[in-house]
Amino acid sequence: MLKVLSFFSGIGAFEKALTNLNVPFELVAFCEIDKYASKSYCAIHGVDESKNLGDITKVDETKLPKNIDLLTYGFPCQDISSAGNKQGLFHEDGSLTRSGLFFDALRIIEATKPKIAIAENVRNLTSKRFAEQFKIVLDSLKQAGYNNYWTILNSKDYGIPQNRERVFIVSIRKDIDHGLFQFPDPVPLKKRLKF
C-alpha cells in the first residue's frame, strides 16, 4: 500500500485519481491552508482534519516519516499563470512570491526523500518568460536526488471534456529509477459538454 503525503492539497485531486484507479494508499498527512478546502478534502476522502498539516511554511519536516512512497504537490500558480501577475517564483527584490512556496515543498522532499514526487502547475511555467525559473525547479529537484520527467498534458486527451493544459513533473529518486517511466498515451474523448 502506498504511503502518500499531499501538499497544496485543495480538495485532493491526486488522491481522487488514486482512488479512481483502485490504487490502495494510506494518507500519511495532507497540507491545505484554506479551511473550506480542508473541510471539503476531509468530506471527500473520509479523513479527519487532524491529518491536515496546515500552513506549509510552518511544517516541521524533521517530524515527518521517512518511508513515503508518493508526495504530491501543486504549488500555487498565481504568480506564474498567464492570467496572473507573472512575477514567477521571486519578487523583484528577490523575496519569494506565493508560487515560490515550491521551495517549501522542496525542503520537505529533501527531508523525507519520497520514492516519487509529482508536481502539477500551469503550462506557463515552461514558457520562455519563466525558462530560467523552470530550470531552477528542475535543477533543485535533481540536486535533491531525483531524475525528473516532465511534459504538458491536456485534460481533453485523457477523457475529460475540458481544454486544460498543465505541466506535470514526475521526480523519481535516483536510487530506484531505472529510466523506464513514460507519460501515458492520450485516449479518445468520448464525453462532450452540451448546452
Side-chain angles (χ1 to χ4, degrees):
M1 181 176 296
L2 287 179
K3 290 189 180 296
V4 176
L5 265 178
S6 171
F7 290 92
F8 311 106
S9 304
I11 60 169
F14 281 107
E15 294 85 325
K16 192 64 176 170
L18 291 172
T19 300
N20 289 347
L21 292 168
N22 295 315
V23 175
F25 70 96
E26 173 195 341
L27 179 70
V28 174
F30 73 100
C31 191
E32 177 51 56
I33 197 168
D34 183 277
K35 66 180 181 179
Y36 300 110
S38 176
K39 286 189 181 301
S40 297
Y41 183 102
C42 292
I44 290 167
H45 302 287
V47 298
D48 190 86
E49 284 199 67
S50 63
K51 286 216 180 244
N52 186 1
L53 300 173
D55 182 348
I56 193 170
T57 65
K58 296 184 168 90
V59 171
D60 182 351
E61 68 276 12
T62 65
K63 293 185 177 174
L64 294 172
K66 304 286 189 273
N67 60 343
I68 302 301
D69 296 301
L70 175 63
L71 186 148
T72 62
Y73 63 112
F75 58 98
C77 67
Q78 293 95 325
D79 301 292
I80 300 167
S81 171
S82 57
N85 61 23
K86 303 184 193 87
Q87 290 189 16
L89 303 174
F90 309 98
H91 291 292
E92 288 181 12
D93 66 3
S95 63
L96 296 176
T97 65
R98 289 168 295 181
S99 296
L101 288 171
F102 158 77
F103 294 102
D104 281 289
L106 177 66
R107 166 178 60 85
I108 293 163
I109 289 168
E110 289 173 329
T112 60
K113 296 290 185 194
K115 290 178 182 173
I116 299 171
I118 302 177
E120 173 267 339
N121 212 293
V122 292
R123 176 188 182 122
N124 209 35
L125 179 60
T126 67
S127 68
K128 283 185 181 178
R129 180 185 186 107
F130 296 118
E132 185 177 315
Q133 294 184 39
F134 186 48
K135 185 176 185 314
I136 289 170
V137 167
L138 296 176
D139 286 348
S140 298
L141 290 163
K142 183 177 180 181
Q143 288 173 12
Y146 291 84
N147 291 330
N148 300 294
Y149 304 86
W150 69 271
T151 195
I152 310 257
L153 298 176
N154 193 325
S155 58
K156 73 178 183 179
D157 295 325
Y158 297 93
I160 306 296
Q162 181 186 31
N163 188 27
R164 185 179 175 91
E165 291 183 308
R166 292 292 182 266
V167 59
F168 285 85
I169 306 166
V170 176
S171 303
I172 303 175
R173 216 172 57 205
K174 290 179 182 179
D175 65 311
I176 62 167
D177 183 28
H178 303 294
L180 301 175
F181 177 79
Q182 293 182 349
F183 284 95
D185 292 327
V187 297
L189 182 61
K190 295 178 180 175
K191 295 178 183 175
R192 303 253 182 240
L193 292 177
K194 291 183 179 179
F195 294 98

